[in-house]
Amino acid sequence: MPFMVRATQATGATPLTEAVGAVRRYYDRNTRLFRALGPGARARAIRRAVWDAGVTSLDGALEQVNALIVREVPVDTGATRHGLHVLDLGCGVGGSLAYLAHALPQATLAGVTISAHQARQARRAVQRWRAIVVEGDFHALPFAARFTVALAVEAFAHSPDPQRCYAEAATILAPGGRLIVCDDFIAREPAHADERRWLEAFRAGWRVAGLQTTAQATAIAGQAGLALRTDRDLTGCLRLHTLPSPLNAMIRQVTDIAGRAHPFLHSLHGSLALQECLARGLVHYRLLVFERW
């Protein structure tokens, strides 16, 4: 393995560690249900289907983000001089790592997830390939190595400190290496109270404290030495499932109350809100690719 995992020093409770702990508990408690009740088991991932041009099946739609990532991997550049090394920031149950192991047989792969349950699942998913999975925090990466590519799929939005995410990613990328981010971003400010409620329901239900605009993400990435090279809006490739407004509002109220009993219902509340935010143009789903100076 061309990279080493270094020990990270434990720290006391801080607002950041408490927020990260809340995301850890969210995934530890919800991952089994996400995979059992959603389409993610088919792609070994917990993410949305992207019906891009030429995609004709659900399996293809679930893997489309991975296919787009492969297209952005640099070939024969300074960043690949010492081999192709890929790090999945927020690797979940290992779906992208398994896909990349097939698509990039020359690459060595690593993943990090905050969830102990997800780390166990991911290790099983990649045990036959040259990949390692570490239970850890991408705000303080436990790798003493330089990577060619780092990817963060529906991960950085969970962070209460996005600036630190981009800065930390920059530290482990080789010059010319790329950070590929696929996530939800704020498209516009809410126009009235109802839209503000939908956006806050999404933030709370999905634990996306780091939701920001692409302009904000580009600015903080630039401060970390990462230049934007690609910005693609994938929102039009999503198949939205919205309900009539009165019914949606009623379900929002019910799931908000029920979510106090189990975090999966709180997540369902966030899912309904996300569909509404996407349909109203409050949020968009984008693929951003940055290059390390």
Side-chain angles (χ1 to χ4, degrees):
M1 192 62 59
F3 35 78
M4 296 174 53
V5 178
R6 65 191 178 204
T8 54
Q9 187 174 5
T11 59
T14 67
L16 176 61
T17 59
E18 290 174 359
V20 169
V23 175
R24 177 190 294 111
R25 291 188 294 273
Y26 173 83
Y27 276 110
D28 279 343
R29 295 191 65 187
N30 283 332
T31 293
R32 288 186 181 89
L33 286 171
F34 287 156
R35 298 195 71 192
L37 301 179
R42 300 177 63 145
R44 301 183 299 271
I46 304 168
R47 67 171 60 126
R48 275 159 280 175
V50 175
W51 295 88
D52 208 349
V55 176
T56 58
S57 68
L58 177 58
D59 288 341
L62 288 168
E63 297 285 19
Q64 183 59 16
V65 168
N66 290 328
L68 294 174
I69 288 169
V70 170
R71 295 176 196 173
E72 296 292 344
V73 172
V75 178
D76 296 329
T77 68
T80 60
R81 184 175 300 118
H82 301 292
L84 180 58
H85 311 312
V86 180
L87 174 61
D88 189 345
L89 301 165
C91 68
V93 295
S96 289
L97 290 174
Y99 183 96
L100 294 172
H102 284 290
L104 302 170
Q106 76 278 28
T108 51
L109 308 168
V112 59
T113 173
I114 197 65
S115 164
H117 173 74
Q118 288 188 343
R120 290 191 295 269
Q121 296 287 316
R123 289 180 187 123
R124 285 195 284 270
V126 302
Q127 61 186 346
R128 68 183 67 181
W129 295 294
R130 75 242 147 264
I132 63 170
V133 175
V134 177
E135 181 189 345
D137 182 359
F138 53 55
H139 297 92
L141 289 170
F143 296 100
R146 291 287 181 141
F147 289 84
T148 320
V149 174
L151 56 128
V153 180
E154 299 178 26
F156 280 3
H158 287 300
S159 170
D161 189 353
Q163 185 168 9
R164 186 163 175 178
C165 292
Y166 285 92
E168 192 71 7
T171 65
I172 53 84
L173 282 174
R178 293 178 187 173
L179 171 65
I180 304 169
V181 179
C182 188
D183 219 325
D184 295 292
F185 293 88
I186 294 174
R188 64 173 177 83
E189 289 300 315
H192 45 74
D194 190 47
E195 288 191 342
R196 283 193 294 275
R197 283 192 292 269
W198 282 119
L199 188 58
E200 288 310 309
F202 171 46
R203 285 185 194 271
W206 271 30
R207 304 293 196 276
V208 285
L211 197 64
Q212 58 183 342
T213 67
T214 55
Q216 289 170 327
T218 300
I220 62 176
Q223 293 168 8
L226 298 164
L228 182 68
R229 57 175 289 129
T230 301
D231 178 0
R232 184 178 173 197
D233 190 349
L234 298 176
T235 312
C237 301
L238 305 178
R239 293 183 176 177
L240 304 182
H241 304 284
T242 56
L243 299 172
S245 294
L247 178 60
N248 208 346
M250 181 183 70
I251 294 175
R252 181 181 66 186
Q253 294 176 353
V254 171
T255 54
D256 188 28
I257 296 171
R260 300 166 193 170
H262 194 283
F264 179 75
L265 295 173
H266 203 190
S267 175
L268 178 59
H269 179 208
S271 297
L272 292 170
L274 172 58
Q275 295 293 306
E276 193 71 19
C277 288
L278 288 165
R280 291 171 180 245
L282 287 167
V283 168
H284 45 194
Y285 189 64
R286 304 187 83 91
L287 180 75
L288 307 182
V289 182
F290 301 92
E291 187 165 287
R292 183 75 167 92
W293 298 340

